[in-house]
Amino acid sequence: MIQDQLSRGHRITVILRALRIPSSTYYDWLKWHPKSRNRRRIKLKELVQVLWQRRKFYGYVRIAKRIRKLLKCRLSDRTIWKVMRELGIQSTMYRT
């Protein structure tokens, strides 16, 4: 909304005053970047989604083991369990 008003030629001070937003809040928002933890979590979600799509019968333990092997990093099973829960995916069990 602010960008739209700026493109129309309004001054930022007038826009912020009308919206009752402190100018410091606006300038802090301009400089904001996602933290490295959030970027890592997003990449982890994508990787879990890809691995799960290939093998839907893999649970969080197998997926965690596979990711540890691929990325050669420390990663707990519980982290993968949380990611899978956020994505709403779970292993598919087949009865033989």
Side-chain angles (χ1 to χ4, degrees), residues 43-56:
K43 289 179 184 177
L44 191 61
K45 283 183 180 182
E46 291 170 359
L47 185 57
V48 166
Q49 189 78 30
V50 168
L51 289 174
W52 182 77
Q53 286 293 329
R54 289 184 186 166
R55 303 239 189 330
K56 292 193 179 195

Side-chain angles (χ1 to χ4, degrees), residues 15-81:
I15 297 168
L16 294 176
R17 196 176 317 128
L19 295 173
R20 296 184 184 154
I21 298 174
S23 59
S24 61
T25 303
Y26 172 72
Y27 289 109
D28 285 343
W29 174 77
L30 282 179
K31 294 184 231 173
W32 181 85
H33 296 288
K35 295 183 180 178
S36 62
R37 179 183 289 175
N38 292 341
R39 288 191 304 256
R40 180 177 179 235
R41 186 74 169 218
I42 290 168
K43 289 179 184 177
L44 191 61
K45 283 183 180 182
E46 291 170 359
L47 185 57
V48 166
Q49 189 78 30
V50 168
L51 289 174
W52 182 77
Q53 286 293 329
R54 289 184 186 166
R55 303 239 189 330
K56 292 193 179 195
F57 55 88
Y58 273 16
Y60 69 94
V61 176
R62 280 186 177 177
I63 290 178
K65 186 176 180 181
R66 185 90 171 180
I67 290 174
R68 281 193 291 266
K69 188 175 182 180
L70 288 172
L71 300 180
K72 295 182 174 111
C73 67
R74 293 172 54 183
L75 188 69
S76 72
D77 294 345
R78 182 150 173 91
T79 302
I80 300 302
W81 178 78

Side-chain angles (χ1 to χ4, degrees), residues 84-96:
M84 288 179 71
R85 190 170 174 195
E86 287 174 14
L87 293 172
I89 59 177
Q90 58 185 354
S91 66
T92 305
M93 302 296 276
Y94 294 105
R95 189 173 277 192
T96 57

